Structures are given as structure tokens and as C-alpha cells.
Amino acid sequence: MTNPIQTHRDGPVLLVTLDRPKANAIDLATSKIMGNVFADFRDDPDLRVAIITGGGDKFFCPGWDLKAAADGDAVDGDYGVGGFGGLQELPNLNKPVIAAVNGIACGGGLELALSADIILAADHASFALPEIKSGTVADAASIKLPKRIPHHIAMELLFTGRWFDVEEAHKWGLVNEIVPQAQLLDRAWEMARLLASGPPLVYAAIKEIVRHAEDHNFQDTMDQITGRKFKTVDTLYSSEDQLEGAKAFAEKRDPVWKGR
């Protein structure tokens, strides 16, 4: 059996493709592989940005592999270091991740996309959280979706499990851009290279601050920043890159980020 996760590295960018015909569904074994891939990405100092997409042009990911479940995979089994799909529970992932949604993203597949920082979607992509129709809960989406789009819209989508197209997803701010299918990966690479040219220590600080702020009030988070209680902020404020940014501005030139 071929590896369901294909990777392609180009300089500081890592492309991760979920390629598990026919629909790119995720079973326990695949989820564990994905977790290891993204943990390696997190820990590799030479990698700065990741892209996650699906193989083919019909499915990004439909979520949990029900056939594998029928064969014995437990829905509450061990998904690996990063939780389902390797991303949504991976600790300390302080690098940008772009989801290039190349088709259907439903259930856990939509939750996988929600775990990214930026979502680009093909013009034929479609979305749903159909768990309710099978008498279960879209757990990660129930936590994340009301924080990403208007509360009442999120609740309707969770309660009804209805399908919605990419235009509606863009309307509610769920996806950043709608891109013609043939141009989707090109656009993802363009975005990834732009981010890879930016300051990695600042990205790390942004991601840690945003994670903390989801569960804490404004003043608490500001106190953590100004007190240099975040490891990423403390590293940034003591870094060569912090000084380089100020020097480049004063000298009217582009900064050269070293990530240290």
C-alpha cells in the first residue's frame, strides 16, 4: 500500500498532500502519519511554511474513514501526536499553515482546514458538517467555527449539517480566497513563498499570542506580552531579527530575516 501522505519540499516551504483514494478519508494510521509529518515540519528550523491539500480534484478530505471504523478503527482511538489529521491538537506549531482546499471538505475535513491559518479554496469546493445527521458531534468544529464566522451562522451549520458552496464560505469569511481549480496550488505556493520571506520569529509570536487570546481576556494577554511571559515573544525581543527590522527601516532597505 502506498503512503497516503505525499510531501514535497521546496526551500523553506513544505507541501503536504493527503492522497488516499478514493476520497482522501482519514483513518487512524493516516492521522498518525500526518501528525509525524507536521511535527517534523514544526521542529525543522529550515522549514517556515506548510501547505496542506488533497490529491485529485474532487476531494480535499471528507473526514473520518467510516470504512476503517467498520473494520475496527475506534472513533476515540489514538490519532497520533497532532490529534485528528495531525494539525488541530499539535502543540507549539508556531509556523504558518495554508490549506489549499481542492474539492469537498466536510466533517473532519472541514475541521482539518479550520486548523490552518489561511484557507484558499478552489472555485468548485463545497463544505458541510454532516455529523449531526449520523447522531454525533462535530467536536473540533463546535469549538472553532463560532470563533471564525458569525455565531448564528455557525450554529445553523452545526445544527443542520447542510452543504454550502465556496461563495457562501467566502461570504462568511471562512475562506480567504476563491481560486480557479487549475490555479489553486500555484496560488498556494505564491502565498507560501511570500510568508516564507517574512520574519519567522514574529510569526511564532503571533501564533502563540492568538492561541492564548482565544481563552483569555485582552488585558491578561497584554500583560503576558509586556511581561515577556510568552517564550516566543521573549525570544523575539532578544533576537537579531528584532534589531535587523529596526536597522532595515532606518536604512530604507529590505530586512534580511535569519530566524534568530
Side-chain angles (χ1 to χ4, degrees):
M1 185 175 179
T2 59
N3 191 332
I5 305 301
Q6 308 299 322
T7 60
H8 174 68
R9 182 170 181 159
D10 186 352
V13 180
L14 180 69
L15 172 66
V16 181
T17 303
L18 172 58
D19 189 11
R20 192 167 180 264
K22 297 180 180 179
N24 298 331
I26 297 175
D27 62 358
L28 289 178
T30 301
S31 184
K32 290 175 183 177
I33 294 170
M34 295 175 76
N36 290 335
V37 166
F38 284 112
D40 288 345
F41 160 71
R42 176 196 63 192
D43 298 337
D44 188 330
D46 295 324
L47 286 173
R48 295 192 176 185
V49 183
I51 302 167
I52 174 71
T53 193
D57 59 6
K58 185 175 182 181
F59 289 96
F60 173 71
C61 176
W64 177 239
D65 186 340
L66 296 179
K67 290 184 179 179
D71 289 337
D73 266 12
V75 68
D76 59 349
D78 180 7
Y79 291 104
V81 64
F84 182 82
L87 272 178
Q88 61 189 20
E89 297 178 62
L90 185 63
N92 302 316
L93 179 53
N94 290 328
K95 300 175 181 181
V97 178
I98 300 167
V101 179
N102 57 300
I104 292 171
C106 62
L110 177 50
E111 292 174 330
L112 177 61
L114 285 170
S115 299
D117 302 296
I118 293 172
I119 303 177
L120 308 176
D123 51 10
H124 72 294
S126 57
F127 308 85
L129 293 165
E131 285 88 343
I132 195 164
K133 296 181 180 180
S134 57
T136 191
V137 62
D139 47 13
S142 296
I143 298 168
K144 292 183 177 182
L145 195 63
K147 298 178 180 179
R148 304 288 190 270
I149 67 174
H151 175 86
H152 297 99
I153 303 302
M155 297 304 291
E156 178 213 342
L157 297 175
L158 288 162
F159 284 160
T160 65
R162 71 172 176 84
W163 287 89
F164 56 105
D165 61 21
V166 71
E167 285 80 10
E168 183 175 358
H170 187 260
K171 172 184 176 181
W172 301 124
L174 184 62
V175 304
N176 296 73
E177 296 178 21
I178 302 172
V179 185
Q181 170 66 25
Q183 300 171 23
L184 179 64
L185 274 185
D186 288 342
R187 177 61 182 132
W189 278 102
E190 180 183 28
M191 176 72 75
R193 291 187 179 107
L194 172 65
L195 296 180
S197 70
L201 297 183
V202 180
Y203 293 151
I206 289 170
K207 290 200 69 169
E208 187 173 18
I209 291 167
V210 169
R211 283 197 305 270
H212 184 88
E214 282 196 339
D215 300 315
H216 298 82
N217 64 37
F218 173 83
Q219 195 58 55
D220 175 84
T221 305
M222 284 299 300
D223 289 345
Q224 295 289 316
I225 296 169
T226 56
R228 294 174 67 156
K229 299 295 181 62
F230 294 124
K231 181 179 179 181
T232 55
V233 172
D234 187 53
T235 298
L236 172 65
Y237 286 174
S238 304
S239 68
E240 292 179 32
D241 278 2
Q242 179 81 19
L243 184 58
E244 167 65 7
K247 284 183 175 179
F249 179 81
E251 296 168 6
K252 298 181 180 180
R253 60 174 175 81
D254 291 334
V256 178
W257 308 117
K258 297 180 180 178
R260 62 176 188 265

